[in-house]
Amino acid sequence: MEKINIKTAERIELVDITADVQNIVSKKKIKDGACLVFCPHTTAGLTINENADPAVRSDMISAFCKLIPVNAGYEHSEGNSDSHIKSSLFGASLTVFVEGGQLALGTWQGIFFCESDGPRSREVWIKVMQ
């Protein structure tokens, strides 16, 4: 298992980690298989979405903030219940096929770390299997 370290700068942020994941895949020299990507945090998650136009990221953040506001009378005493909800909607893991030593993503797709309770220092765990 390999780890990617991420330092987020905003409370809610989508960080493109595609190149970091691909670097790990390349280092493993596995031509065909699967890459498992796991987020070990309860207030962050992962998603695959468009990485060509940065407006998609800002639109997603805006929509999530409208759907799940920060202060909506939650019971959780730490004040980050919205972050736990956002994390559950994104999900904690992804599986991406590896073909010819490359992540098998669509033309416009990228892998994003989804911070919901930053800024923080975070990790993403990667396992590449043949």
Side-chain angles (χ1 to χ4, degrees):
M1 179 178 70
E2 299 275 342
K3 295 180 181 180
I4 296 171
N5 294 307
I6 301 165
K7 186 160 181 66
T8 60
E10 304 292 331
R11 185 166 197 280
I12 300 173
E13 183 176 356
L14 299 181
V15 179
D16 187 347
I17 61 170
T18 311
D20 297 311
V21 176
Q22 180 59 57
N23 286 340
I24 291 170
V25 169
S26 297
K27 186 169 79 172
K28 296 295 181 184
K29 298 186 188 313
I30 291 175
K31 294 298 175 199
D32 296 304
C35 178
L36 306 174
V37 186
F38 179 74
C39 174
H41 306 287
T42 61
T43 57
L46 299 162
T47 194
I48 294 175
N49 214 302
E50 181 179 330
N51 68 351
D53 182 357
V56 173
R57 282 188 248 183
S58 60
D59 289 345
M60 288 177 65
I61 290 169
S62 177
F64 269 96
C65 290
K66 288 175 188 169
L67 288 169
I68 308 155
V70 175
N71 298 312
Y74 306 111
E75 293 183 30
H76 182 50
S77 62
E78 289 181 24
N80 63 352
S81 279
D82 67 302
S83 302
H84 290 287
I85 296 165
K86 290 171 186 143
S87 166
S88 289
L89 290 176
F90 279 118
S93 65
L94 300 169
T95 303
V96 181
F97 297 128
V98 175
E99 295 286 331
Q102 299 295 309
L103 293 167
L105 293 167
T107 302
W108 306 110
Q109 288 183 321
I111 302 169
F112 291 92
F113 175 80
C114 309
E115 176 65 78
S116 296
D117 195 25
R120 290 182 184 253
S121 293
R122 303 287 201 164
E123 288 183 343
V124 173
W125 300 346
I126 311 294
K127 183 91 168 183
V128 184
M129 300 181 301
Q130 193 162 356

